[in-house]
Coordinates of all heavy atoms in Angstrom, one line a residue:
M78 N -2.2 115.5 -47.5 CA -3.2 114.6 -47.3 C -2.7 113.1 -47.5 O -3.1 112.2 -46.8 CB -4.5 114.8 -48.1 CG -5.7 114.2 -47.6 SD -6.2 114.6 -46.0 CE -7.9 114.5 -46.1
T79 N -1.9 112.9 -48.5 CA -1.3 111.6 -48.9 C -0.5 111.2 -47.7 O -0.7 109.9 -47.3 CB -0.5 111.6 -50.2 OG1 -1.5 112.2 -51.2 CG2 -0.2 110.3 -50.6
R80 N 0.2 112.0 -47.0 CA 1.1 111.7 -45.9 C 0.2 111.1 -44.8 O 0.6 110.1 -44.2 CB 1.9 112.7 -45.4 CG 3.1 113.1 -46.4 CD 3.9 114.2 -45.8 NE 5.0 113.7 -45.2 CZ 5.9 114.4 -44.5 NH1 5.8 115.7 -44.4 NH2 6.9 113.9 -44.0
I81 N -1.0 111.7 -44.5 CA -1.8 111.4 -43.5 C -2.3 110.0 -43.8 O -2.5 109.2 -42.9 CB -2.9 112.4 -43.2 CG1 -2.3 113.8 -42.7 CG2 -3.9 112.0 -42.3 CD1 -3.2 114.9 -42.7
R82 N -2.7 109.8 -44.9 CA -3.4 108.5 -45.3 C -2.4 107.4 -45.1 O -2.7 106.3 -44.6 CB -3.9 108.6 -46.7 CG -5.2 109.2 -46.8 CD -5.8 109.2 -48.3 NE -6.9 110.1 -48.3 CZ -7.2 110.7 -49.5 NH1 -6.6 110.6 -50.6 NH2 -8.3 111.4 -49.5
H83 N -1.2 107.7 -45.7 CA -0.1 106.6 -45.5 C 0.2 106.4 -44.1 O 0.3 105.2 -43.7 CB 1.1 107.1 -46.3 CG 2.1 106.3 -46.1 ND1 2.3 105.0 -46.9 CD2 3.5 106.3 -45.5 CE1 3.4 104.4 -46.5 NE2 4.2 105.2 -45.7
A84 N 0.3 107.3 -43.3 CA 0.6 107.2 -41.9 C -0.6 106.4 -41.2 O -0.3 105.5 -40.3 CB 0.8 108.5 -41.2
A85 N -1.8 106.8 -41.6 CA -2.9 106.0 -41.0 C -3.0 104.5 -41.4 O -3.3 103.7 -40.5 CB -4.3 106.8 -41.4
R86 N -2.8 104.2 -42.6 CA -2.7 102.9 -43.1 C -1.5 102.2 -42.3 O -1.7 101.0 -41.9 CB -2.5 102.7 -44.6 CG -3.8 102.7 -45.4 CD -3.6 102.5 -46.8 NE -4.2 103.6 -47.5 CZ -3.5 104.4 -48.3 NH1 -2.2 104.4 -48.6 NH2 -4.2 105.4 -48.9
Q87 N -0.4 102.8 -42.2 CA 0.8 102.2 -41.7 C 0.6 101.8 -40.2 O 1.2 100.9 -39.7 CB 2.0 103.1 -41.9 CG 3.3 102.4 -41.6 CD 4.4 103.3 -42.0 OE1 4.2 104.5 -42.2 NE2 5.6 102.8 -42.2
N88 N -0.2 102.7 -39.6 CA -0.4 102.5 -38.1 C -1.9 102.1 -37.7 O -2.4 102.4 -36.6 CB 0.0 103.9 -37.5 CG 1.4 104.2 -37.5 OD1 2.3 103.5 -37.0 ND2 1.8 105.2 -38.3
K89 N -2.5 101.4 -38.7 CA -4.0 101.1 -38.5 C -4.2 100.5 -37.2 O -5.1 101.0 -36.4 CB -4.5 100.3 -39.7 CG -5.9 100.0 -39.6 CD -6.4 99.2 -40.7 CE -7.9 98.9 -40.7 NZ -8.3 98.0 -41.7
T90 N -3.6 99.5 -36.8 CA -3.8 98.6 -35.6 C -3.6 99.5 -34.4 O -4.3 99.5 -33.5 CB -2.9 97.4 -35.5 OG1 -3.3 96.6 -36.7 CG2 -3.3 96.6 -34.3
M91 N -2.5 100.3 -34.4 CA -2.1 101.1 -33.2 C -3.1 102.3 -33.1 O -3.5 102.6 -31.9 CB -0.7 101.7 -33.4 CG -0.1 102.1 -32.2 SD 1.6 102.6 -32.4 CE 2.3 101.1 -33.1
L92 N -3.6 102.8 -34.2 CA -4.7 103.9 -34.2 C -6.0 103.2 -33.6 O -6.7 103.9 -32.9 CB -4.8 104.6 -35.5 CG -3.8 105.5 -35.9 CD1 -3.9 105.8 -37.3 CD2 -3.7 106.7 -35.1
M93 N -6.4 102.0 -34.1 CA -7.6 101.5 -33.6 C -7.5 101.2 -32.0 O -8.5 101.4 -31.3 CB -7.9 100.1 -34.4 CG -8.3 100.4 -35.7 SD -8.4 99.0 -36.9 CE -9.6 97.9 -35.9
K94 N -6.4 100.7 -31.7 CA -6.1 100.5 -30.2 C -6.2 101.7 -29.4 O -6.8 101.8 -28.4 CB -4.7 99.8 -30.1 CG -4.4 99.4 -28.6 CD -3.0 98.7 -28.7 CE -2.7 98.3 -27.2 NZ -1.3 97.5 -27.2
T95 N -5.6 102.8 -30.0 CA -5.6 104.1 -29.3 C -7.0 104.6 -29.2 O -7.5 105.2 -28.2 CB -4.7 105.0 -30.1 OG1 -3.4 104.6 -30.1 CG2 -4.7 106.5 -29.3
G96 N -7.8 104.4 -30.3 CA -9.3 104.8 -30.3 C -10.1 104.2 -29.3 O -10.9 104.8 -28.6
S97 N -9.9 102.8 -29.2 CA -10.7 102.1 -28.2 C -10.4 102.4 -26.8 O -11.2 102.7 -26.0 CB -10.6 100.5 -28.4 OG -9.3 100.1 -28.1
Y98 N -9.1 102.8 -26.5 CA -8.6 103.1 -25.3 C -9.1 104.5 -24.9 O -9.7 104.8 -23.8 CB -7.1 103.2 -25.3 CG -6.4 103.8 -24.1 CD1 -6.3 103.1 -22.8 CD2 -5.9 105.1 -24.1 CE1 -5.6 103.6 -21.8 CE2 -5.3 105.6 -23.0 CZ -5.2 105.0 -21.8 OH -4.5 105.5 -20.7
Y99 N -9.2 105.4 -25.9 CA -9.8 106.8 -25.8 C -11.2 106.7 -25.3 O -11.7 107.4 -24.4 CB -9.6 107.5 -27.1 CG -10.2 109.0 -27.1 CD1 -9.6 109.9 -26.4 CD2 -11.3 109.3 -27.8 CE1 -10.0 111.2 -26.4 CE2 -11.8 110.5 -27.9 CZ -11.2 111.5 -27.1 OH -11.7 112.7 -27.1
V100 N -12.0 105.8 -26.1 CA -13.5 105.8 -25.6 C -13.6 105.2 -24.2 O -14.5 105.8 -23.4 CB -14.2 104.9 -26.6 CG1 -15.6 104.5 -26.2 CG2 -14.2 105.5 -28.0
I101 N -13.0 104.3 -23.8 CA -13.1 103.7 -22.5 C -12.5 104.8 -21.4 O -13.2 104.9 -20.4 CB -12.2 102.4 -22.5 CG1 -12.9 101.3 -23.1 CG2 -12.1 102.1 -20.9 CD1 -12.1 100.1 -23.4
H102 N -11.5 105.4 -21.8 CA -10.9 106.4 -20.8 C -11.9 107.6 -20.7 O -12.1 108.1 -19.6 CB -9.7 106.9 -21.4 CG -8.9 107.7 -20.4 ND1 -7.4 107.6 -20.3 CD2 -9.2 108.4 -19.4 CE1 -7.0 108.2 -19.4 NE2 -7.9 108.8 -18.8
I103 N -12.6 108.1 -21.7 CA -13.7 109.1 -21.6 C -14.8 108.7 -20.6 O -15.1 109.4 -19.8 CB -14.2 109.5 -22.9 CG1 -13.2 110.3 -23.6 CG2 -15.4 110.3 -22.9 CD1 -13.6 110.7 -25.1
G104 N -15.2 107.4 -20.8 CA -16.3 107.0 -20.0 C -15.9 106.9 -18.5 O -16.7 107.4 -17.6
V105 N -14.7 106.4 -18.2 CA -14.2 106.2 -16.9 C -14.0 107.6 -16.3 O -14.3 108.0 -15.2 CB -12.9 105.4 -16.8 CG1 -12.3 105.4 -15.4 CG2 -13.2 103.9 -17.1
A106 N -13.4 108.5 -17.1 CA -13.1 109.9 -16.5 C -14.4 110.6 -16.2 O -14.4 111.4 -15.3 CB -12.2 110.7 -17.5
A107 N -15.5 110.5 -17.1 CA -16.6 111.1 -16.9 C -17.4 110.7 -15.6 O -17.8 111.4 -14.8 CB -17.6 110.9 -18.1
M108 N -17.3 109.4 -15.4 CA -17.9 108.9 -14.1 C -17.1 109.4 -12.9 O -17.8 109.7 -11.9 CB -17.9 107.3 -14.1 CG -19.0 106.8 -15.2 SD -19.1 105.0 -15.0 CE -17.7 104.5 -16.0
V109 N -15.9 109.3 -13.0 CA -15.0 109.7 -11.8 C -15.2 111.3 -11.6 O -15.4 111.7 -10.4 CB -13.5 109.4 -12.0 CG1 -12.7 110.0 -10.9 CG2 -13.3 107.9 -12.0
A110 N -15.2 112.1 -12.6 CA -15.3 113.6 -12.5 C -16.7 113.9 -12.0 O -16.8 114.8 -11.1 CB -15.0 114.2 -13.9
Y111 N -17.8 113.2 -12.3 CA -19.1 113.5 -11.9 C -19.2 113.0 -10.5 O -19.8 113.8 -9.7 CB -20.2 112.6 -12.8 CG -21.6 113.1 -12.4 CD1 -22.1 114.3 -12.7 CD2 -22.3 112.2 -11.7 CE1 -23.4 114.6 -12.3 CE2 -23.5 112.5 -11.2 CZ -24.2 113.7 -11.5 OH -25.4 114.1 -11.1
A112 N -18.5 112.0 -10.2 CA -18.6 111.5 -8.6 C -18.0 112.5 -7.8 O -18.4 112.8 -6.6 CB -18.0 110.2 -8.5
V113 N -16.9 113.1 -8.3 CA -16.2 114.1 -7.5 C -16.8 115.4 -7.5 O -16.9 116.1 -6.3 CB -14.7 114.2 -8.0 CG1 -14.0 115.4 -7.3 CG2 -14.0 113.0 -7.8
T114 N -17.2 116.0 -8.6 CA -17.9 117.4 -8.7 C -19.3 117.4 -8.5 O -19.8 118.5 -8.1 CB -17.5 118.0 -10.1 OG1 -18.1 117.2 -11.1 CG2 -16.0 117.9 -10.4
G115 N -20.1 116.4 -8.9 CA -21.4 116.4 -8.9 C -22.1 117.3 -9.9 O -23.2 117.7 -10.0
N116 N -21.2 117.8 -10.9 CA -21.6 118.7 -11.9 C -21.4 118.0 -13.3 O -20.4 117.8 -13.6 CB -20.7 120.0 -11.8 CG -21.0 121.1 -12.8 OD1 -21.3 120.8 -14.0 ND2 -21.0 122.3 -12.4
L117 N -22.5 117.9 -14.0 CA -22.4 117.3 -15.4 C -21.5 117.9 -16.3 O -20.7 117.3 -17.0 CB -23.8 117.2 -15.9 CG -23.9 116.5 -17.3 CD1 -23.5 115.0 -17.2 CD2 -25.4 116.5 -17.7
W118 N -21.6 119.3 -16.4 CA -20.8 120.1 -17.4 C -19.3 120.0 -17.1 O -18.4 119.8 -17.9 CB -21.2 121.5 -17.4 CG -22.6 121.7 -18.2 CD1 -23.7 121.9 -17.6 CD2 -22.9 121.3 -19.5 NE1 -24.8 121.9 -18.5 CE2 -24.3 121.5 -19.7 CE3 -22.1 120.7 -20.6 CZ2 -24.9 121.1 -21.0 CZ3 -22.7 120.5 -21.9 CH2 -24.2 120.7 -21.9
A119 N -19.0 120.1 -15.8 CA -17.5 119.9 -15.4 C -17.1 118.5 -15.6 O -15.9 118.4 -16.1 CB -17.5 120.3 -13.9
S120 N -17.8 117.6 -15.4 CA -17.4 116.3 -15.6 C -17.2 115.9 -17.2 O -16.2 115.2 -17.5 CB -18.4 115.2 -15.0 OG -19.6 115.3 -15.7
L121 N -18.1 116.4 -18.0 CA -18.0 116.3 -19.4 C -16.7 117.0 -19.9 O -16.0 116.5 -20.8 CB -19.2 116.8 -20.1 CG -20.4 115.9 -20.0 CD1 -21.7 116.5 -20.6 CD2 -20.2 114.6 -20.6
T122 N -16.5 118.3 -19.4 CA -15.3 119.0 -19.8 C -14.0 118.3 -19.4 O -13.1 117.9 -20.3 CB -15.3 120.4 -19.2 OG1 -16.5 121.1 -19.7 CG2 -14.1 121.1 -19.7
L123 N -13.8 117.9 -18.2 CA -12.7 117.1 -17.6 C -12.6 115.8 -18.5 O -11.4 115.3 -18.8 CB -12.9 116.8 -16.2 CG -12.7 118.1 -15.3 CD1 -13.1 117.7 -13.9 CD2 -11.3 118.7 -15.3
S124 N -13.7 115.0 -18.7 CA -13.6 113.8 -19.3 C -13.2 113.8 -20.9 O -12.8 112.8 -21.3 CB -14.9 113.0 -19.2 OG -15.9 113.5 -19.9
L125 N -13.4 115.0 -21.5 CA -12.9 115.1 -22.8 C -11.5 115.6 -22.8 O -10.6 115.2 -23.7 CB -13.8 116.0 -23.7 CG -15.3 115.5 -23.9 CD1 -16.2 116.5 -24.4 CD2 -15.1 114.2 -24.8
L126 N -11.1 116.6 -22.0 CA -9.8 117.0 -22.0 C -8.8 116.1 -21.7 O -7.7 115.9 -22.5 CB -9.7 118.3 -21.1 CG -8.5 119.0 -21.0 CD1 -8.0 119.5 -22.3 CD2 -8.4 120.0 -19.9
E127 N -8.8 115.6 -20.6 CA -7.7 114.7 -20.0 C -7.6 113.4 -20.9 O -6.4 113.1 -21.3 CB -7.9 114.3 -18.6 CG -6.8 113.7 -17.9 CD -6.8 112.1 -18.0 OE1 -7.9 111.7 -18.3 OE2 -5.7 111.5 -17.8
P128 N -8.6 112.7 -21.3 CA -8.3 111.5 -22.1 C -7.8 111.8 -23.4 O -7.0 111.0 -24.1 CB -9.7 110.8 -22.3 CG -10.4 111.3 -21.0 CD -10.0 112.6 -20.7
T129 N -8.1 113.0 -24.0 CA -7.6 113.4 -25.4 C -6.1 113.5 -25.2 O -5.4 113.0 -26.0 CB -8.2 114.8 -25.8 OG1 -9.7 114.6 -25.9 CG2 -7.7 115.2 -27.2
V130 N -5.7 114.2 -24.3 CA -4.2 114.4 -24.2 C -3.6 113.0 -23.7 O -2.5 112.6 -24.3 CB -3.8 115.3 -22.9 CG1 -2.3 115.3 -22.6 CG2 -4.4 116.6 -23.2
Q131 N -4.1 112.1 -23.0 CA -3.7 110.8 -22.8 C -3.6 110.0 -24.0 O -2.6 109.1 -24.2 CB -4.4 110.1 -21.7 CG -4.3 110.5 -20.3 CD -3.0 110.2 -19.8 OE1 -2.2 109.3 -20.2 NE2 -2.6 110.7 -18.6
A132 N -4.6 110.1 -24.9 CA -4.6 109.3 -26.2 C -3.5 109.6 -27.0 O -2.8 108.6 -27.6 CB -6.0 109.4 -26.8
V133 N -3.1 110.9 -27.1 CA -2.0 111.2 -27.9 C -0.8 110.7 -27.4 O 0.2 110.2 -28.0 CB -2.0 112.8 -28.0 CG1 -0.6 113.3 -28.7 CG2 -3.2 113.3 -28.9
A134 N -0.5 110.8 -26.0 CA 0.6 110.4 -25.4 C 0.7 108.7 -25.5 O 1.7 108.2 -25.8 CB 0.6 110.8 -23.9
F135 N -0.5 108.2 -25.5 CA -0.5 106.7 -25.6 C 0.1 106.2 -26.9 O 0.8 105.3 -27.2 CB -1.9 106.2 -25.2 CG -2.1 104.7 -25.4 CD1 -1.6 103.9 -24.4 CD2 -2.6 104.2 -26.6 CE1 -1.8 102.4 -24.7 CE2 -2.8 102.8 -26.8 CZ -2.4 101.9 -25.7
F136 N -0.5 107.0 -28.1 CA -0.1 106.6 -29.4 C 1.4 106.6 -29.5 O 2.1 105.8 -30.0 CB -0.7 107.6 -30.4 CG -0.1 107.4 -31.8 CD1 -0.7 106.3 -32.5 CD2 0.8 108.1 -32.3 CE1 -0.3 106.0 -33.8 CE2 1.2 108.0 -33.6 CZ 0.6 106.8 -34.3
F137 N 2.1 107.8 -29.1 CA 3.6 107.9 -29.1 C 4.4 106.9 -28.2 O 5.3 106.4 -28.6 CB 4.0 109.4 -28.8 CG 3.6 110.2 -30.1 CD1 2.6 111.1 -29.9 CD2 4.3 110.1 -31.3 CE1 2.2 112.0 -30.9 CE2 3.8 110.9 -32.3 CZ 2.8 111.8 -32.2
H138 N 3.7 106.6 -27.2 CA 4.2 105.5 -26.2 C 4.2 104.2 -26.9 O 5.3 103.5 -26.9 CB 3.4 105.5 -25.0 CG 3.7 104.3 -24.0 ND1 3.1 103.2 -23.9 CD2 4.7 104.3 -23.0 CE1 3.6 102.4 -23.0 NE2 4.5 103.1 -22.5
E139 N 3.1 103.9 -27.6 CA 3.1 102.6 -28.4 C 4.2 102.6 -29.6 O 4.8 101.6 -29.8 CB 1.7 102.4 -29.0 CG 0.8 101.9 -27.8 CD 1.0 100.6 -27.3 OE1 1.2 99.6 -28.1 OE2 1.2 100.4 -26.2
K140 N 4.3 103.7 -30.2 CA 5.3 103.8 -31.2 C 6.6 103.6 -30.8 O 7.5 102.9 -31.4 CB 5.2 105.2 -32.0 CG 3.9 105.5 -32.7 CD 3.9 104.7 -34.1 CE 4.9 105.3 -35.0 NZ 4.9 104.5 -36.3
A141 N 7.0 104.2 -29.6 CA 8.3 104.0 -29.0 C 8.6 102.6 -28.7 O 9.7 102.0 -28.9 CB 8.5 104.9 -27.8
W142 N 7.6 101.8 -28.1 CA 7.7 100.4 -27.7 C 7.9 99.6 -29.0 O 8.6 98.6 -29.0 CB 6.6 100.0 -26.8 CG 6.8 100.3 -25.5 CD1 6.4 101.3 -24.7 CD2 7.5 99.4 -24.5 NE1 6.8 101.2 -23.4 CE2 7.5 100.1 -23.3 CE3 8.3 98.3 -24.6 CZ2 8.1 99.6 -22.1 CZ3 8.9 97.7 -23.5 CH2 8.8 98.4 -22.2
D143 N 7.1 99.9 -30.1 CA 7.2 99.2 -31.3 C 8.6 99.3 -31.9 O 9.2 98.4 -32.3 CB 6.1 99.7 -32.2 CG 6.0 98.8 -33.5 OD1 5.9 97.6 -33.3 OD2 5.9 99.4 -34.5
R144 N 9.1 100.5 -31.9 CA 10.5 100.9 -32.5 C 11.5 100.2 -31.6 O 12.4 99.6 -32.2 CB 10.7 102.4 -32.3 CG 11.8 102.7 -33.4 CD 11.8 104.3 -33.4 NE 10.6 105.0 -33.8 CZ 10.0 105.9 -33.1 NH1 10.6 106.4 -31.9 NH2 8.9 106.5 -33.4
A145 N 11.4 100.1 -30.3 CA 12.3 99.4 -29.5 C 12.3 97.8 -29.8 O 13.4 97.2 -29.8 CB 11.9 99.6 -28.0
A146 N 11.0 97.3 -29.9 CA 11.0 95.8 -30.3 C 11.7 95.6 -31.6 O 12.3 94.5 -31.8 CB 9.5 95.4 -30.3
K147 N 11.4 96.4 -32.6 CA 12.0 96.1 -33.9 C 13.6 96.2 -33.8 O 14.4 95.5 -34.5 CB 11.5 97.2 -34.9 CG 10.2 96.9 -35.3 CD 9.6 97.9 -36.3 CE 8.1 97.6 -36.7 NZ 7.6 98.7 -37.6
R148 N 14.0 97.2 -33.1 CA 15.5 97.3 -32.8 C 16.1 96.1 -32.2 O 17.2 95.6 -32.5 CB 15.9 98.5 -32.1 CG 16.2 99.7 -33.0 CD 16.8 100.8 -32.1 NE 15.6 101.7 -31.9 CZ 15.4 102.5 -31.0 NH1 16.3 102.7 -29.9 NH2 14.3 103.3 -30.8
K149 N 15.3 95.6 -31.2 CA 15.9 94.4 -30.5 C 15.9 93.2 -31.4 O 16.8 92.3 -31.3 CB 14.9 94.1 -29.2 CG 15.4 93.0 -28.3 CD 14.6 92.9 -27.1 CE 14.9 91.8 -26.3 NZ 14.2 91.6 -25.0
A150 N 14.8 93.0 -32.2 CA 14.7 91.8 -33.2 C 15.8 92.0 -34.1 O 16.4 91.0 -34.5 CB 13.3 91.8 -33.8
A151 N 16.1 93.2 -34.7 CA 17.2 93.3 -35.7 C 18.6 93.1 -35.0 O 19.4 92.5 -35.7 CB 17.1 94.8 -36.2
A152 N 18.7 93.5 -33.7 CA 20.0 93.2 -33.1 C 20.3 91.8 -32.9 O 21.2 91.2 -33.0 CB 20.1 93.9 -31.8
A153 N 19.2 91.0 -32.5 CA 19.2 89.6 -32.3 C 19.5 88.9 -33.5 O 20.3 87.9 -33.6 CB 18.0 89.1 -31.7
A154 N 18.8 89.4 -34.6 CA 19.1 88.7 -36.0 C 20.5 88.9 -36.3 O 21.2 88.1 -36.9 CB 18.1 89.2 -36.9
G155 N 21.0 90.1 -36.2 CA 22.5 90.5 -36.6 C 23.4 89.7 -35.7 O 24.4 89.2 -36.3
M156 N 23.2 89.5 -34.5 CA 24.0 88.8 -33.6 C 24.2 87.3 -34.0 O 25.2 86.7 -34.1 CB 23.8 88.9 -32.2 CG 24.0 90.3 -31.7 SD 23.8 90.3 -29.8 CE 25.4 89.6 -29.3
S157 N 23.0 86.6 -34.4 CA 23.0 85.4 -34.8 C 23.8 85.1 -36.0 O 24.4 84.1 -36.3 CB 21.6 84.7 -34.7 OG 20.8 85.4 -35.7
A158 N 23.6 86.0 -36.9 CA 24.3 86.0 -38.3 C 25.8 86.2 -38.2 O 26.4 85.7 -38.9 CB 23.7 86.9 -39.1
D159 N 26.2 87.0 -37.2 CA 27.5 87.3 -37.0 C 28.3 86.2 -36.1 O 29.5 86.2 -36.2 CB 27.8 88.7 -36.4 CG 27.4 89.7 -37.3 OD1 27.3 89.5 -38.4 OD2 27.0 90.9 -36.8
R160 N 27.5 85.5 -35.4 CA 28.2 84.5 -34.4 C 28.8 83.3 -35.3 O 28.2 82.8 -36.1 CB 27.0 84.0 -33.5 CG 27.6 83.3 -32.3 CD 26.6 82.7 -31.5 NE 26.1 83.9 -30.6 CZ 25.0 83.7 -29.9 NH1 24.2 82.8 -30.0 NH2 24.8 84.7 -29.1
P161 N 30.1 83.1 -35.0 CA 30.7 81.9 -35.7 C 30.0 80.6 -35.4 O 29.7 80.3 -34.3 CB 32.1 82.0 -35.3 CG 32.2 82.7 -34.2 CD 31.0 83.6 -34.0
V162 N 29.9 79.8 -36.4 CA 29.3 78.4 -36.1 C 30.5 77.5 -35.8 O 31.5 77.5 -36.3 CB 28.7 77.9 -37.5 CG1 28.1 76.5 -37.3 CG2 27.6 78.9 -37.9
A163 N 30.2 76.8 -34.7 CA 31.2 75.8 -34.2 C 31.4 74.7 -35.3 O 30.3 74.1 -35.6 CB 30.9 75.3 -32.8
Q164 N 32.6 74.4 -35.5 CA 32.8 73.3 -36.6 C 33.2 72.1 -35.8 O 34.0 72.1 -34.9 CB 33.9 73.7 -37.5 CG 33.7 74.9 -38.3 CD 32.6 74.6 -39.4 OE1 32.4 73.5 -39.9 NE2 31.8 75.6 -39.7
P165 N 32.6 70.9 -36.1 CA 33.0 69.8 -35.4 C 34.6 69.3 -35.9 O 35.0 69.6 -36.9 CB 32.2 68.7 -36.0 CG 31.5 69.1 -37.1 CD 31.7 70.7 -37.2
V166 N 35.2 68.7 -34.8 CA 36.7 68.4 -35.0 C 36.8 67.0 -35.4 O 36.1 66.1 -35.1 CB 37.4 68.8 -33.9 CG1 39.0 68.5 -33.9 CG2 37.2 70.2 -33.2

């Protein structure tokens, strides 16, 4: 349980973003599914299943982009630190 709390605190903004995306996605999916099927139960089922899978995928997508940005920033900082400074002659 402690690992889950730590992970939740560490990723709070990303989890909030994922949650808001999830709620919006369910609403859109429900409207589209109802427009296509005309069946309330089918639309509710589809609107809960697909966005749930998408929300999990979105979270890991955001984690990957965050990790890539950190690597890029670390590489840029390392390159500027390793670059020789031109000395005036």
